Amino acid sequence: MGTHVRIEDRTIWFKHIEEPRLRERLENLKEDEAINLEVDGVIGRWKRMKKGKNPLPTRGIKPDGAMKRVWNEWYKDRRGQVIELREAMLADDYLAAASALFSEWNSPEDEEAFRDL
């Protein structure tokens, strides 16, 4: 589920994302919810933008953490360039999602039995 996007702003607006599944995935994020994206080979965290004065959801994502520095540098130096964009899953996210599948293993008895492994 990858696409291309042009560096045009300090954010990425959903209307500029051509791939429907990725655009829908981003649209379904809650306000200020984070997602990891690989942008031109760099994996970083992005957040759904908060509502502004308008009561409608803001239809964009903004870079967060270290990705903010990367994106701002690209905005200064590479504005207008088309780059690749796709969702990325970090190992920590994968393991957290998988551990929810085995919630029956999260008991005090199991913790006691397996804590030293």
Side-chain angles (χ1 to χ4, degrees), residues 11-114:
T11 61
I12 296 177
W13 300 102
F14 298 156
K15 65 183 178 183
H16 296 147
I17 298 173
E18 297 172 1
E19 208 286 314
R21 288 180 295 178
L22 180 58
R23 187 175 54 245
E24 181 179 350
R25 168 79 170 100
L26 296 173
E27 288 272 11
N28 287 327
L29 293 174
K30 294 180 180 90
E31 188 175 288
D32 216 27
E33 183 177 352
I35 186 170
N36 292 309
L37 297 175
E38 181 179 340
V39 183
D40 208 30
V42 177
I43 297 175
R45 187 173 59 240
W46 293 75
K47 286 190 174 182
R48 171 77 189 250
M49 293 172 66
K50 295 180 182 179
K51 292 179 190 173
K53 294 178 184 180
N54 182 336
L56 298 175
T58 303
R59 297 190 64 235
I61 54 174
K62 62 181 181 176
D64 189 50
M67 192 66 211
K68 186 173 186 176
R69 289 190 303 275
V70 171
W71 188 258
N72 286 339
E73 189 67 31
W74 287 357
Y75 180 69
K76 285 191 299 188
D77 298 338
R78 299 177 61 188
R79 191 177 325 170
Q81 289 184 10
V82 175
I83 58 174
E84 290 186 60
L85 173 74
R86 70 177 185 87
E87 185 172 2
M89 183 174 287
L90 301 179
D92 291 342
D93 297 335
Y94 175 80
L95 292 172
S99 68
L101 297 173
F102 302 106
S103 60
E104 67 273 12
W105 291 1
N106 295 333
S107 69
E109 294 82 13
D110 286 335
E111 180 61 31
E112 178 68 27
F114 299 111

